[in-house]
Amino acid sequence: MMQSLKYWLAEHPSIVNFRWSHTQSFGSTWSFLFAAIAVYIVAVITLHSFLSLILSKSRRIPLGPIPAIHSLSVSLISAVIFVGILYSAAAEIRDTRWFWRRTKTISTPFQWFLCFPLGTRPSGRVFFWSYVFYLSRFLHLFRTFFTILRHRKLTFFHLFNQSILLWMSFLWLEFSQSFQVLAILLATLLYSVVYGYRFWTAIGLPSACFPFVVNCQVVLLACNLISHFGVLFLHFLKGGCNGMGAWGFNSILNGVILILFLNFYVKMHLRKKNVEDIDGNSNSSSSSSSSSSSAHGCSRSDIKFE
């Protein structure tokens, strides 16, 4: 069973012989990327503006099981990418150790996860799964439309974050950027858990009594920040990592996302603190009602991060 899984996820000829090509890989051109992001932004803003004109903000459009199916699909696809790139990374480490000794850029598997040797081309197993990850980012974009239809809510952070993550996954492939294997492992592990949790709550099962999704996002950002310092350290210590120009640009974009997210996180905790202060100053009757509500669903403390 394990050998069969390894073959289909890491040793199949279409995976081993994969090559990122502008003529052979779907969505691999700069024009496609710019057009896709532009269409996404225009469609989202148009839908939000149209619904704001014809419907009240409290009016929700029922979507049935579609969001739950979407969350389950993203969770399962992310889990497959995680396992696939993990097996593929192990195979690539096994097959390319000889090249490490020639380049003297890296000497351990952990260093390879952070720093590709100079001259690395976007071909082979890990870049196949990087390409699948890039394509999966388009599936994530649908969540923006679900949020608008259900909550009539559109924030600059959400729009910017989704667009930039699509852009960054393209740059990983285009410039064979270092650190992408570890970044994909961290991201797909997070997505499989977060979207699994969203599926769990979408089908009516109880939610966590704390902002689960936001806390997962904090963990991911913290791991990425630490890893970026590791890449920079290896780049200067070992004589260079591949794709550092793209890495520098992505680092700036990650910094902007981090600032926007921290702004959101602080506002969320201030909002939660204000709710707790109001609860503390309410009369005994309303306090009893609030306690009953918290005991059943923890709805007040479960602030969602879309």
Side-chain angles (χ1 to χ4, degrees):
M1 177 64 180
M2 291 296 294
Q3 291 301 320
S4 177
L5 190 64
K6 286 182 179 179
Y7 172 78
W8 287 106
L9 295 179
E11 301 297 344
H12 192 275
S14 61
I15 296 176
V16 176
N17 299 321
F18 171 79
R19 187 171 73 92
W20 170 257
S21 168
H22 290 177
T23 58
Q24 298 177 3
S25 305
F26 173 77
S28 61
T29 62
W30 287 95
S31 58
F32 178 89
L33 177 68
F34 288 131
I37 293 176
V39 169
Y40 165 68
I41 293 174
V42 170
V44 165
I45 294 175
T46 302
L47 178 63
H48 182 262
S49 302
F50 177 72
L51 292 179
S52 299
L53 288 174
I54 65 173
L55 296 175
S56 63
K57 194 171 183 179
S58 59
R59 176 88 177 272
R60 295 189 177 187
I61 298 176
L63 298 176
I66 295 176
I69 294 172
H70 175 264
S71 295
L72 180 61
S73 301
V74 174
S75 179
L76 293 176
I77 291 171
S78 298
V80 171
I81 295 173
F82 176 82
V83 177
I85 199 168
L86 192 63
Y87 278 143
S88 296
E92 287 292 332
I93 290 170
R94 179 197 67 210
D95 294 345
T96 58
R97 279 181 179 272
W98 64 271
F99 183 64
W100 301 357
R101 289 190 290 269
R102 262 179 57 182
T103 61
K104 298 181 180 180
T105 305
I106 54 177
S107 55
T108 66
F110 180 72
Q111 290 179 3
W112 179 82
F113 276 105
L114 291 174
C115 177
F116 284 157
L118 293 173
T120 299
R121 301 299 180 208
S123 60
R125 300 176 182 89
V126 295
F127 288 99
F128 170 85
W129 289 108
S130 181
Y131 177 58
V132 175
F133 179 80
Y134 163 63
L135 295 179
S136 74
R137 287 304 318 172
F138 290 95
L139 187 59
H140 287 251
L141 302 182
F142 286 100
R143 184 165 178 81
T144 309
F145 297 95
F146 299 155
T147 302
I148 293 172
L149 292 171
R150 290 193 299 179
H151 306 294
R152 210 81 70 254
K153 183 172 67 173
L154 177 63
T155 62
F156 171 76
F157 171 73
H158 184 84
L159 200 61
F160 180 81
N161 185 56
Q162 293 284 12
S163 302
I164 291 305
L165 289 176
L166 182 60
W167 179 284
M168 287 193 295
S169 59
F170 177 89
L171 293 181
W172 289 348
L173 287 158
E174 184 69 13
F175 297 100
S176 305
Q177 185 193 309
S178 296
F179 172 62
Q180 63 177 283
V181 175
L182 185 58
I184 293 171
L185 283 170
L186 292 172
T188 50
L189 180 61
L190 173 84
Y191 293 152
S192 61
V193 172
V194 165
Y195 279 91
Y197 169 77
R198 282 171 170 163
F199 171 74
W200 174 276
T201 56
I203 61 176
L205 295 172
S207 61
C209 295
F210 60 93
F212 178 81
V213 176
V214 176
N215 287 348
C216 287
Q217 189 77 6
V218 170
V219 172
L220 178 63
L221 287 172
C223 290
N224 281 338
L225 183 63
I226 295 170
S227 299
H228 274 287
F229 282 111
V231 174
L232 195 62
F233 176 75
L234 287 174
H235 176 65
F236 288 109
L237 181 69
K238 295 290 186 175
C241 299
N242 203 68
M244 287 303 290
W247 175 87
F249 183 68
N250 278 339
S251 296
I252 295 173
L253 296 178
N254 273 312
V256 174
I257 291 174
L258 179 63
I259 293 171
L260 291 172
F261 179 80
L262 289 175
N263 180 56
F264 166 84
Y265 196 69
V266 169
K267 286 181 178 179
M268 184 195 72
H269 277 279
L270 289 175
R271 194 187 324 152
K272 182 179 177 182
K273 187 174 184 297
N274 290 336
V275 169
E276 290 173 349
D277 290 342
I278 292 172
D279 287 345
N281 295 329
S282 62
N283 56 44
S284 58
S285 176
S286 62
S287 294
S288 175
S289 174
S290 175
S291 298
S292 175
S293 172
S294 293
H296 285 87
C298 305
S299 58
R300 287 199 159 185
S301 59
D302 187 21
I303 301 173
K304 293 183 178 180
F305 174 67
E306 299 292 347

